[in-house]
Amino acid sequence: MAGCCAVLAAFLFEYDTPRIVLIRSRKVGLMNRAVQLLILAYVIGWVFVWEKGYQETDSVVSSVTTKAKGVTVTNTSTLGFRVWDVADYVIPAQEENSLFIMTNMIITVNQTQGFCPELPDKTTVCKSDANCVAGSSGTHSNGIATGRCVLFNGTVKTCEVAAWCPVEDDSHVPKPAFLKAAENFTLLVKNNIWYPKFNFSKRNILPNITTTYLKSCTYDAVTDPFCPIFRLGKIVESAGHSFQDMAIEGGIMGIQINWDCNLDRTSSLCLPSYSFRRLDTRDVDHNVSPGYNFRFAKYYSHLTGAEHRTLIKAYGIRFDIIVFGKAGKFDIIPTMINVGSGLALLGVATVLCDVIVFYCMKKRYYYREKKYKYVEDYEQGLGGEMDQ
């Protein structure tokens, strides 16, 4: 109890104030200056020069529109001679910040509602009606089973389904890609950006770009780094992939536009920077369900009035346009905050040197004696003398 009272009294009735002690030591002096120089280098070099700690920053607000161009021709037994333009291979016509280009497909023509044999696999091959369950449908079924076992071809029987007939057979993906010429199609990307905090806006079609130049240029990182028209094959190759391989099964490419702007400089130096990467990473060791595909149908009516459709399983490349960046401009508030933080950090040098001097050096006890001095209450001393 007495010990607790003594600690409480020391806490309540003692006051300590810093005492300056000048230690003449080359080792300690050099260490102190070295730590101070490191802190100054960090504050000036990293905080102010590299990170621009004197600036207020804002994140980019962006809008993107795209337009593809290119024409090719195919000649197949299923479709015959056919010309393909933008309206045929861009699906859908408009998306938000992305564009899908169909490069390959499996087409099933003249489908009608009816009854037909299911594709043969381990769950659909049958020998009699007893092997088929009426009304059943698996995850990968093309229709609803009727319960009958019918001929698929001359040697194989499968369960009959009520479906769009004939059912689609997607077991063999066309190689090379159906629209392999898409490699030479072009994509125009129009990007408008705005920094609301600074009321600054700009677009990637720069003021010095003329209509004549825009009709003839194609993006190149060296010769035409600000041309907003990209050749599809160049985009994929820039990400380290083969366009023809990617066109077979499809995939997702990212077109990254980076706007890092220093608004303390002229606005003409605020320029877009383009980079490309594949977003659906292909892992050779785990190649289950690769690529990108989906189905859509085109419906029409026969002269007899029966509804028909052409089913297309489309493989292709989706281009996602990703815009990011920040802008900075001088502001006194972040400047003063970082200056104050830097001055506070200089105190670290003193703390580090005190730790070494008072706990690590040979003369630590001598230095402690010089650093700390205990003084009794002057008023209590005078009171004692008067009582005598």
Side-chain angles (χ1 to χ4, degrees):
M1 185 69 179
C4 294
C5 292
V7 171
L8 180 61
F11 175 75
L12 292 175
F13 305 124
E14 290 182 358
Y15 165 71
D16 52 277
T17 183
R19 183 183 187 187
I20 298 175
V21 178
L22 178 63
I23 299 175
R24 298 184 182 275
S25 170
R26 292 181 181 178
K27 187 185 297 183
V28 178
L30 286 173
M31 182 182 62
N32 182 48
R33 299 307 174 207
V35 173
Q36 288 177 340
L37 284 174
L38 286 174
I39 293 172
L40 283 174
Y42 165 75
V43 172
I44 296 173
W46 176 261
V47 176
F48 282 97
V49 176
W50 184 260
E51 290 293 325
K52 295 181 176 61
Y54 56 87
Q55 291 183 333
E56 181 73 25
T57 59
D58 193 15
S59 298
V60 68
V61 177
S62 167
S63 68
V64 173
T65 58
T66 58
K67 183 188 294 184
K69 285 190 176 181
V71 179
T72 188
V73 64
T74 60
N75 193 354
T76 63
S77 58
T78 304
L79 297 176
F81 182 85
R82 179 164 180 174
V83 176
W84 298 79
D85 63 12
V86 175
D88 296 312
Y89 58 74
V90 176
I91 308 162
Q94 288 292 323
E95 288 188 84
E96 184 179 357
N97 297 339
S98 65
L99 183 79
F100 176 82
I101 304 288
M102 184 175 68
T103 56
N104 205 4
M105 68 176 184
I106 296 173
I107 187 167
T108 309
V109 298
N110 297 327
Q111 284 187 318
T112 59
Q113 292 274 342
F115 302 97
C116 50
E118 181 64 280
L119 292 176
D121 61 29
K122 62 181 181 180
T123 61
T124 61
V125 173
C126 61
K127 292 183 178 180
S128 66
D129 293 350
N131 302 127
C132 301
V133 180
S136 64
S137 63
T139 305
H140 302 289
S141 297
N142 287 292
I144 307 298
T146 63
R148 292 191 296 269
C149 184
V150 297
L151 282 172
F152 178 78
N153 55 35
T155 58
V156 178
K157 284 185 173 184
T158 61
C159 294
E160 184 184 62
V161 290
W164 284 94
C165 300
V167 296
E168 177 193 63
D169 183 3
D170 62 349
S171 57
H172 300 288
V173 180
K175 293 182 182 181
F178 190 75
L179 297 180
K180 59 183 179 180
E183 182 175 14
N184 295 313
F185 295 169
T186 59
L187 177 63
L188 168 63
V189 177
K190 293 191 284 187
N191 176 216
N192 294 273
I193 59 118
W194 177 44
Y195 289 105
K197 190 177 289 185
F198 308 120
N199 195 27
F200 176 84
S201 59
K202 199 167 185 177
R203 65 175 187 158
N204 67 329
I205 301 178
L206 303 177
N208 62 326
I209 292 180
T210 63
T211 303
T212 304
Y213 173 77
L214 197 62
K215 288 181 178 180
S216 60
C217 77
T218 304
Y219 172 84
D220 185 275
V222 177
T223 59
D224 292 282
F226 303 115
C227 177
I229 298 176
F230 305 88
R231 179 175 163 268
L232 302 190
K234 185 76 171 179
I235 294 174
V236 177
E237 290 163 6
S238 297
H241 297 274
S242 166
F243 182 89
Q244 293 302 330
D245 291 342
M246 194 173 183
I248 293 171
E249 295 179 334
I252 303 174
M253 287 296 305
I255 301 175
Q256 300 171 312
I257 308 177
N258 183 22
W259 292 87
D260 278 339
C261 300
N262 184 355
L263 298 184
D264 290 328
R265 303 159 69 185
T266 176
S267 61
S268 62
L269 297 177
C270 179
L271 301 170
S273 173
Y274 301 99
S275 59
F276 315 96
R277 62 165 297 174
R278 185 168 182 174
L279 301 180
D280 64 318
T281 304
R282 285 292 301 275
D283 188 342
V284 178
D285 297 327
H286 302 87
N287 197 23
V288 178
S289 187
Y292 180 67
N293 63 78
F294 59 89
R295 290 175 176 84
F296 68 96
K298 295 182 179 180
Y299 295 87
Y300 57 94
S301 296
H302 196 263
L303 293 175
T304 60
E307 184 182 30
H308 288 65
R309 77 175 187 181
T310 297
L311 178 65
I312 298 173
K313 183 177 182 180
Y315 298 82
I317 304 174
R318 193 182 78 193
F319 295 91
D320 291 346
I321 294 86
I322 305 166
V323 183
F324 57 96
K326 67 176 183 178
K329 194 172 185 179
F330 175 78
D331 191 275
I332 191 63
I333 294 177
T335 302
M336 295 306 297
I337 290 173
N338 285 307
V339 168
S341 300
L343 293 175
L345 279 175
L346 288 175
V348 173
T350 303
V351 173
L352 180 61
C353 291
D354 282 352
V355 170
I356 293 174
V357 168
F358 299 136
Y359 296 97
C360 300
M361 296 187 70
K362 291 182 180 179
K363 296 183 179 181
R364 55 185 179 273
Y365 298 109
Y366 173 75
Y367 290 135
R368 284 189 207 173
E369 182 181 346
K370 297 298 182 181
K371 173 70 174 178
Y372 302 109
K373 184 175 182 179
Y374 298 92
V375 180
E376 297 297 333
D377 192 337
Y378 178 73
E379 293 181 355
Q380 288 184 358
L382 285 179
E385 291 179 359
M386 290 178 64
D387 291 340
Q388 293 178 359

